[in-house]
Amino acid sequence: MPKAERKAFKTIIRAQSEKSAGWVEESVTLSIGEVIGKLRGTIQEAELSWPQAGGFKCRVDRNADFQGPGKASLRLRFELDGLPVDQLVQLTRTEQPLRWWFICPVENIRVANLHLPPGARRFAGRKAHGLIYRCRVQPKRGMRLSPKAVRALRQPKGRK
């Protein structure tokens, strides 16, 4: 994806995530371990579902051999609001230890999980959607945070 197009896509993703709750726990999460586990050997496609997300289903097709050193990718097919979505996600691997990773389509970095928060149209990494974990803003036992401190913690790094 060209740099200008990636920047525009980031802007759209961030705008969508600011409208949504912005919590990792409320998004549909696609884990590399789950995908690799379902697509081992000669299996070329699998269907994943998330009952907690209203029965959301995603069909995953493998486009390359996971054993070979060439570029591997996955095609994600799902439906949002009655519209079909077809997304291609690149994979990479590290050798020591041997481990597979998604390449975030927005940030172009390797990630172990891709997220689809409410209101978004594409899977992307946590940072691309501006998602945070609830435990980051919930005070520890005996600790009190002001509303201003909570807003500061929810603010994505690098943005004021």
Side-chain angles (χ1 to χ4, degrees), residues 67-101:
Q67 305 303 321
K71 288 216 171 205
S73 62
L74 298 174
R75 183 167 298 283
L76 306 175
R77 294 186 179 137
F78 51 97
E79 214 173 277
L80 285 174
D81 302 326
L83 298 171
V85 178
D86 189 354
Q87 181 179 1
L88 186 68
V89 177
Q90 298 297 319
L91 301 177
T92 188
R93 72 179 190 187
T94 53
E95 294 298 326
Q96 294 293 328
L98 179 61
R99 182 170 177 193
W100 284 96
W101 302 86

mmCIF file of all heavy atoms in Angstrom, residues 67-101:
data_model
loop_
_atom_site.group_PDB
_atom_site.id
_atom_site.type_symbol
_atom_site.label_atom_id
_atom_site.label_comp_id
_atom_site.label_asym_id
_atom_site.label_seq_id
_atom_site.Cartn_x
_atom_site.Cartn_y
_atom_site.Cartn_z
ATOM 1 N N GLN A 67 4.665 -23.985 4.993
ATOM 2 C CA GLN A 67 5.976 -24.612 5.171
ATOM 3 C C GLN A 67 7.058 -23.895 4.373
ATOM 4 O O GLN A 67 8.209 -23.869 4.758
ATOM 5 C CB GLN A 67 5.929 -26.088 4.750
ATOM 6 C CG GLN A 67 4.854 -26.894 5.448
ATOM 7 C CD GLN A 67 4.962 -26.851 6.962
ATOM 8 O OE1 GLN A 67 6.058 -26.892 7.502
ATOM 9 N NE2 GLN A 67 3.831 -26.743 7.634
ATOM 10 N N GLY A 68 6.677 -23.290 3.252
ATOM 11 C CA GLY A 68 7.649 -22.651 2.376
ATOM 12 C C GLY A 68 8.074 -21.280 2.879
ATOM 13 O O GLY A 68 7.348 -20.628 3.616
ATOM 14 N N PRO A 69 9.260 -20.830 2.450
ATOM 15 C CA PRO A 69 9.760 -19.529 2.892
ATOM 16 C C PRO A 69 9.149 -18.354 2.130
ATOM 17 O O PRO A 69 9.387 -17.217 2.470
ATOM 18 C CB PRO A 69 11.256 -19.618 2.613
ATOM 19 C CG PRO A 69 11.354 -20.565 1.475
ATOM 20 C CD PRO A 69 10.224 -21.547 1.636
ATOM 21 N N GLY A 70 8.348 -18.638 1.088
ATOM 22 C CA GLY A 70 7.756 -17.559 0.290
ATOM 23 C C GLY A 70 6.721 -16.774 1.072
ATOM 24 O O GLY A 70 6.377 -17.096 2.193
ATOM 25 N N LYS A 71 6.223 -15.743 0.432
ATOM 26 C CA LYS A 71 5.219 -14.903 1.093
ATOM 27 C C LYS A 71 3.911 -15.671 1.224
ATOM 28 O O LYS A 71 3.379 -16.169 0.259
ATOM 29 C CB LYS A 71 4.992 -13.627 0.302
ATOM 30 C CG LYS A 71 6.136 -12.679 0.402
ATOM 31 C CD LYS A 71 5.599 -11.285 0.434
ATOM 32 C CE LYS A 71 6.734 -10.350 0.762
ATOM 33 N NZ LYS A 71 6.293 -9.156 1.362
ATOM 34 N N ALA A 72 3.419 -15.734 2.431
ATOM 35 C CA ALA A 72 2.130 -16.360 2.697
ATOM 36 C C ALA A 72 1.117 -15.256 2.981
ATOM 37 O O ALA A 72 1.465 -14.181 3.450
ATOM 38 C CB ALA A 72 2.237 -17.298 3.890
ATOM 39 N N SER A 73 -0.131 -15.522 2.665
ATOM 40 C CA SER A 73 -1.179 -14.549 2.951
ATOM 41 C C SER A 73 -2.478 -15.283 3.235
ATOM 42 O O SER A 73 -2.622 -16.465 2.925
ATOM 43 C CB SER A 73 -1.358 -13.580 1.786
ATOM 44 O OG SER A 73 -1.746 -14.275 0.631
ATOM 45 N N LEU A 74 -3.397 -14.564 3.834
ATOM 46 C CA LEU A 74 -4.723 -15.089 4.126
ATOM 47 C C LEU A 74 -5.756 -14.167 3.514
ATOM 48 O O LEU A 74 -5.589 -12.955 3.507
ATOM 49 C CB LEU A 74 -4.967 -15.158 5.635
ATOM 50 C CG LEU A 74 -4.063 -16.043 6.455
ATOM 51 C CD1 LEU A 74 -4.376 -15.864 7.931
ATOM 52 C CD2 LEU A 74 -4.226 -17.498 6.060
ATOM 53 N N ARG A 75 -6.820 -14.752 3.007
ATOM 54 C CA ARG A 75 -7.940 -13.959 2.517
ATOM 55 C C ARG A 75 -9.057 -14.127 3.543
ATOM 56 O O ARG A 75 -9.476 -15.233 3.839
ATOM 57 C CB ARG A 75 -8.387 -14.447 1.151
ATOM 58 C CG ARG A 75 -9.508 -13.602 0.577
ATOM 59 C CD ARG A 75 -9.734 -13.878 -0.892
ATOM 60 N NE ARG A 75 -8.583 -13.556 -1.724
ATOM 61 C CZ ARG A 75 -8.218 -12.330 -2.097
ATOM 62 N NH1 ARG A 75 -8.892 -11.300 -1.670
ATOM 63 N NH2 ARG A 75 -7.183 -12.138 -2.877
ATOM 64 N N LEU A 76 -9.507 -12.994 4.094
ATOM 65 C CA LEU A 76 -10.586 -12.994 5.077
ATOM 66 C C LEU A 76 -11.868 -12.563 4.374
ATOM 67 O O LEU A 76 -11.901 -11.514 3.728
ATOM 68 C CB LEU A 76 -10.277 -12.020 6.219
ATOM 69 C CG LEU A 76 -8.935 -12.197 6.924
ATOM 70 C CD1 LEU A 76 -8.734 -11.094 7.942
ATOM 71 C CD2 LEU A 76 -8.844 -13.555 7.578
ATOM 72 N N ARG A 77 -12.907 -13.374 4.513
ATOM 73 C CA ARG A 77 -14.199 -13.045 3.899
ATOM 74 C C ARG A 77 -15.256 -13.076 4.990
ATOM 75 O O ARG A 77 -15.406 -14.078 5.679
ATOM 76 C CB ARG A 77 -14.532 -14.045 2.800
ATOM 77 C CG ARG A 77 -13.577 -13.940 1.639
ATOM 78 C CD ARG A 77 -14.010 -14.818 0.503
ATOM 79 N NE ARG A 77 -13.059 -14.648 -0.584
ATOM 80 C CZ ARG A 77 -12.580 -15.634 -1.290
ATOM 81 N NH1 ARG A 77 -12.964 -16.854 -1.055
ATOM 82 N NH2 ARG A 77 -11.714 -15.404 -2.247
ATOM 83 N N PHE A 78 -15.959 -11.956 5.111
ATOM 84 C CA PHE A 78 -17.010 -11.867 6.118
ATOM 85 C C PHE A 78 -18.052 -10.855 5.660
ATOM 86 O O PHE A 78 -17.895 -10.206 4.634
ATOM 87 C CB PHE A 78 -16.433 -11.485 7.489
ATOM 88 C CG PHE A 78 -15.546 -10.272 7.486
ATOM 89 C CD1 PHE A 78 -16.033 -9.027 7.822
ATOM 90 C CD2 PHE A 78 -14.197 -10.378 7.146
ATOM 91 C CE1 PHE A 78 -15.216 -7.916 7.822
ATOM 92 C CE2 PHE A 78 -13.361 -9.275 7.153
ATOM 93 C CZ PHE A 78 -13.881 -8.031 7.495
ATOM 94 N N GLU A 79 -19.126 -10.760 6.428
ATOM 95 C CA GLU A 79 -20.213 -9.866 6.080
ATOM 96 C C GLU A 79 -20.451 -8.892 7.224
ATOM 97 O O GLU A 79 -20.523 -9.297 8.381
ATOM 98 C CB GLU A 79 -21.479 -10.701 5.844
ATOM 99 C CG GLU A 79 -22.368 -10.144 4.778
ATOM 100 C CD GLU A 79 -23.508 -11.079 4.462
ATOM 101 O OE1 GLU A 79 -23.311 -12.012 3.666
ATOM 102 O OE2 GLU A 79 -24.597 -10.858 5.025
ATOM 103 N N LEU A 80 -20.549 -7.601 6.903
ATOM 104 C CA LEU A 80 -20.856 -6.569 7.888
ATOM 105 C C LEU A 80 -22.052 -5.771 7.404
ATOM 106 O O LEU A 80 -22.023 -5.238 6.292
ATOM 107 C CB LEU A 80 -19.672 -5.618 8.085
ATOM 108 C CG LEU A 80 -18.493 -6.142 8.889
ATOM 109 C CD1 LEU A 80 -17.361 -5.141 8.868
ATOM 110 C CD2 LEU A 80 -18.897 -6.443 10.313
ATOM 111 N N ASP A 81 -23.074 -5.704 8.212
ATOM 112 C CA ASP A 81 -24.296 -4.965 7.872
ATOM 113 C C ASP A 81 -24.852 -5.399 6.515
ATOM 114 O O ASP A 81 -25.320 -4.574 5.729
ATOM 115 C CB ASP A 81 -24.047 -3.447 7.869
ATOM 116 C CG ASP A 81 -23.532 -2.942 9.207
ATOM 117 O OD1 ASP A 81 -23.941 -3.504 10.244
ATOM 118 O OD2 ASP A 81 -22.720 -2.004 9.209
ATOM 119 N N GLY A 82 -24.767 -6.691 6.233
ATOM 120 C CA GLY A 82 -25.303 -7.227 4.986
ATOM 121 C C GLY A 82 -24.421 -7.036 3.768
ATOM 122 O O GLY A 82 -24.773 -7.462 2.676
ATOM 123 N N LEU A 83 -23.261 -6.393 3.929
ATOM 124 C CA LEU A 83 -22.346 -6.174 2.808
ATOM 125 C C LEU A 83 -21.149 -7.110 2.916
ATOM 126 O O LEU A 83 -20.539 -7.213 3.981
ATOM 127 C CB LEU A 83 -21.855 -4.723 2.794
ATOM 128 C CG LEU A 83 -22.925 -3.649 2.612
ATOM 129 C CD1 LEU A 83 -22.330 -2.278 2.833
ATOM 130 C CD2 LEU A 83 -23.540 -3.749 1.234
ATOM 131 N N PRO A 84 -20.772 -7.773 1.821
ATOM 132 C CA PRO A 84 -19.609 -8.664 1.877
ATOM 133 C C PRO A 84 -18.300 -7.869 1.925
ATOM 134 O O PRO A 84 -18.159 -6.838 1.274
ATOM 135 C CB PRO A 84 -19.711 -9.474 0.587
ATOM 136 C CG PRO A 84 -20.502 -8.615 -0.331
ATOM 137 C CD PRO A 84 -21.425 -7.787 0.525
ATOM 138 N N VAL A 85 -17.358 -8.355 2.721
ATOM 139 C CA VAL A 85 -16.034 -7.746 2.828
ATOM 140 C C VAL A 85 -15.009 -8.821 2.486
ATOM 141 O O VAL A 85 -15.085 -9.939 2.984
ATOM 142 C CB VAL A 85 -15.776 -7.190 4.247
ATOM 143 C CG1 VAL A 85 -14.378 -6.600 4.349
ATOM 144 C CG2 VAL A 85 -16.814 -6.150 4.614
ATOM 145 N N ASP A 86 -14.067 -8.485 1.626
ATOM 146 C CA ASP A 86 -13.005 -9.397 1.215
ATOM 147 C C ASP A 86 -11.679 -8.681 1.483
ATOM 148 O O ASP A 86 -11.382 -7.670 0.870
ATOM 149 C CB ASP A 86 -13.158 -9.713 -0.270
ATOM 150 C CG ASP A 86 -12.234 -10.811 -0.741
ATOM 151 O OD1 ASP A 86 -11.388 -11.271 0.046
ATOM 152 O OD2 ASP A 86 -12.359 -11.206 -1.917
ATOM 153 N N GLN A 87 -10.888 -9.209 2.432
ATOM 154 C CA GLN A 87 -9.649 -8.546 2.849
ATOM 155 C C GLN A 87 -8.481 -9.519 2.742
ATOM 156 O O GLN A 87 -8.573 -10.657 3.194
ATOM 157 C CB GLN A 87 -9.804 -8.045 4.285
ATOM 158 C CG GLN A 87 -8.599 -7.320 4.810
ATOM 159 C CD GLN A 87 -8.798 -6.815 6.238
ATOM 160 O OE1 GLN A 87 -9.824 -7.024 6.855
ATOM 161 N NE2 GLN A 87 -7.791 -6.141 6.747
ATOM 162 N N LEU A 88 -7.370 -9.048 2.176
ATOM 163 C CA LEU A 88 -6.162 -9.852 2.073
ATOM 164 C C LEU A 88 -5.175 -9.387 3.140
ATOM 165 O O LEU A 88 -4.910 -8.197 3.263
ATOM 166 C CB LEU A 88 -5.532 -9.695 0.681
ATOM 167 C CG LEU A 88 -4.339 -10.595 0.388
ATOM 168 C CD1 LEU A 88 -4.789 -12.044 0.294
ATOM 169 C CD2 LEU A 88 -3.670 -10.175 -0.903
ATOM 170 N N VAL A 89 -4.652 -10.342 3.914
ATOM 171 C CA VAL A 89 -3.702 -10.031 4.987
ATOM 172 C C VAL A 89 -2.423 -10.817 4.743
ATOM 173 O O VAL A 89 -2.463 -12.042 4.568
ATOM 174 C CB VAL A 89 -4.289 -10.402 6.372
ATOM 175 C CG1 VAL A 89 -3.283 -10.138 7.463
ATOM 176 C CG2 VAL A 89 -5.568 -9.652 6.640
ATOM 177 N N GLN A 90 -1.287 -10.123 4.708
ATOM 178 C CA GLN A 90 0.014 -10.764 4.510
ATOM 179 C C GLN A 90 0.490 -11.390 5.813
ATOM 180 O O GLN A 90 0.176 -10.900 6.898
ATOM 181 C CB GLN A 90 1.048 -9.747 4.025
ATOM 182 C CG GLN A 90 0.729 -9.126 2.691
ATOM 183 C CD GLN A 90 0.706 -10.143 1.567
ATOM 184 O OE1 GLN A 90 1.537 -11.033 1.503
ATOM 185 N NE2 GLN A 90 -0.261 -9.999 0.681
ATOM 186 N N LEU A 91 1.270 -12.456 5.706
ATOM 187 C CA LEU A 91 1.872 -13.122 6.857
ATOM 188 C C LEU A 91 3.387 -13.088 6.721
ATOM 189 O O LEU A 91 3.914 -13.026 5.617
ATOM 190 C CB LEU A 91 1.423 -14.583 6.948
ATOM 191 C CG LEU A 91 -0.071 -14.859 7.077
ATOM 192 C CD1 LEU A 91 -0.309 -16.358 7.077
ATOM 193 C CD2 LEU A 91 -0.630 -14.248 8.328
ATOM 194 N N THR A 92 4.057 -13.159 7.851
ATOM 195 C CA THR A 92 5.508 -13.290 7.868
ATOM 196 C C THR A 92 5.853 -14.255 8.993
ATOM 197 O O THR A 92 5.002 -14.603 9.802
ATOM 198 C CB THR A 92 6.207 -11.927 8.051
ATOM 199 O OG1 THR A 92 7.612 -12.106 7.865
ATOM 200 C CG2 THR A 92 5.936 -11.331 9.416
ATOM 201 N N ARG A 93 7.106 -14.674 9.032
ATOM 202 C CA ARG A 93 7.502 -15.552 10.131
ATOM 203 C C ARG A 93 8.903 -15.209 10.605
ATOM 204 O O ARG A 93 9.719 -14.681 9.853
ATOM 205 C CB ARG A 93 7.402 -17.018 9.746
ATOM 206 C CG ARG A 93 8.444 -17.497 8.792
ATOM 207 C CD ARG A 93 8.257 -18.963 8.504
ATOM 208 N NE ARG A 93 9.405 -19.456 7.771
ATOM 209 C CZ ARG A 93 9.490 -20.642 7.261
ATOM 210 N NH1 ARG A 93 8.500 -21.490 7.391
ATOM 211 N NH2 ARG A 93 10.567 -21.016 6.612
ATOM 212 N N THR A 94 9.129 -15.509 11.878
ATOM 213 C CA THR A 94 10.464 -15.376 12.453
ATOM 214 C C THR A 94 11.021 -16.782 12.591
ATOM 215 O O THR A 94 10.278 -17.737 12.793
ATOM 216 C CB THR A 94 10.408 -14.676 13.827
ATOM 217 O OG1 THR A 94 9.476 -15.353 14.664
ATOM 218 C CG2 THR A 94 9.999 -13.222 13.679
ATOM 219 N N GLU A 95 12.329 -16.901 12.484
ATOM 220 C CA GLU A 95 12.955 -18.222 12.483
ATOM 221 C C GLU A 95 13.284 -18.765 13.872
ATOM 222 O O GLU A 95 13.150 -19.934 14.121
ATOM 223 C CB GLU A 95 14.225 -18.199 11.618
ATOM 224 C CG GLU A 95 13.949 -17.971 10.153
ATOM 225 C CD GLU A 95 13.106 -19.062 9.519
ATOM 226 O OE1 GLU A 95 13.235 -20.242 9.910
ATOM 227 O OE2 GLU A 95 12.306 -18.734 8.640
ATOM 228 N N GLN A 96 13.781 -17.914 14.763
ATOM 229 C CA GLN A 96 14.199 -18.400 16.090
ATOM 230 C C GLN A 96 13.442 -17.672 17.176
ATOM 231 O O GLN A 96 13.776 -16.545 17.494
ATOM 232 C CB GLN A 96 15.703 -18.206 16.284
ATOM 233 C CG GLN A 96 16.552 -19.039 15.378
ATOM 234 C CD GLN A 96 16.435 -20.537 15.673
ATOM 235 O OE1 GLN A 96 16.233 -20.938 16.806
ATOM 236 N NE2 GLN A 96 16.566 -21.338 14.647
ATOM 237 N N PRO A 97 12.440 -18.206 17.753
ATOM 238 C CA PRO A 97 11.768 -19.463 17.431
ATOM 239 C C PRO A 97 10.851 -19.286 16.212
ATOM 240 O O PRO A 97 10.439 -18.163 15.913
ATOM 241 C CB PRO A 97 10.943 -19.750 18.676
ATOM 242 C CG PRO A 97 10.590 -18.409 19.202
ATOM 243 C CD PRO A 97 11.778 -17.530 18.888
ATOM 244 N N LEU A 98 10.534 -20.389 15.560
ATOM 245 C CA LEU A 98 9.667 -20.340 14.394
ATOM 246 C C LEU A 98 8.277 -19.904 14.840
ATOM 247 O O LEU A 98 7.633 -20.550 15.650
ATOM 248 C CB LEU A 98 9.588 -21.715 13.721
ATOM 249 C CG LEU A 98 8.688 -21.785 12.497
ATOM 250 C CD1 LEU A 98 9.198 -20.841 11.413
ATOM 251 C CD2 LEU A 98 8.609 -23.185 11.966
ATOM 252 N N ARG A 99 7.854 -18.765 14.337
ATOM 253 C CA ARG A 99 6.561 -18.224 14.730
ATOM 254 C C ARG A 99 5.995 -17.400 13.582
ATOM 255 O O ARG A 99 6.707 -16.655 12.924
ATOM 256 C CB ARG A 99 6.719 -17.335 15.955
ATOM 257 C CG ARG A 99 5.418 -16.789 16.451
ATOM 258 C CD ARG A 99 5.554 -16.116 17.775
ATOM 259 N NE ARG A 99 4.252 -15.563 18.121
ATOM 260 C CZ ARG A 99 4.054 -14.705 19.071
ATOM 261 N NH1 ARG A 99 5.058 -14.299 19.813
ATOM 262 N NH2 ARG A 99 2.865 -14.245 19.324
ATOM 263 N N TRP A 100 4.686 -17.542 13.356
ATOM 264 C CA TRP A 100 3.999 -16.784 12.315
ATOM 265 C C TRP A 100 3.409 -15.513 12.894
ATOM 266 O O TRP A 100 3.017 -15.456 14.052
ATOM 267 C CB TRP A 100 2.896 -17.637 11.685
ATOM 268 C CG TRP A 100 3.445 -18.651 10.741
ATOM 269 C CD1 TRP A 100 3.717 -19.955 11.015
ATOM 270 C CD2 TRP A 100 3.816 -18.442 9.386
ATOM 271 N NE1 TRP A 100 4.225 -20.568 9.904
ATOM 272 C CE2 TRP A 100 4.294 -19.657 8.891
ATOM 273 C CE3 TRP A 100 3.779 -17.336 8.540
ATOM 274 C CZ2 TRP A 100 4.737 -19.808 7.584
ATOM 275 C CZ3 TRP A 100 4.213 -17.481 7.237
ATOM 276 C CH2 TRP A 100 4.686 -18.715 6.770
ATOM 277 N N TRP A 101 3.307 -14.478 12.048
ATOM 278 C CA TRP A 101 2.759 -13.177 12.429
ATOM 279 C C TRP A 101 1.884 -12.652 11.297
ATOM 280 O O TRP A 101 2.145 -12.917 10.136
ATOM 281 C CB TRP A 101 3.868 -12.157 12.651
ATOM 282 C CG TRP A 101 4.880 -12.513 13.677
ATOM 283 C CD1 TRP A 101 6.010 -13.266 13.502
ATOM 284 C CD2 TRP A 101 4.885 -12.128 15.045
ATOM 285 N NE1 TRP A 101 6.707 -13.365 14.671
ATOM 286 C CE2 TRP A 101 6.038 -12.670 15.649
ATOM 287 C CE3 TRP A 101 4.026 -11.355 15.834
ATOM 288 C CZ2 TRP A 101 6.342 -12.481 16.984
ATOM 289 C CZ3 TRP A 101 4.333 -11.171 17.163
ATOM 290 C CH2 TRP A 101 5.484 -11.729 17.731
#
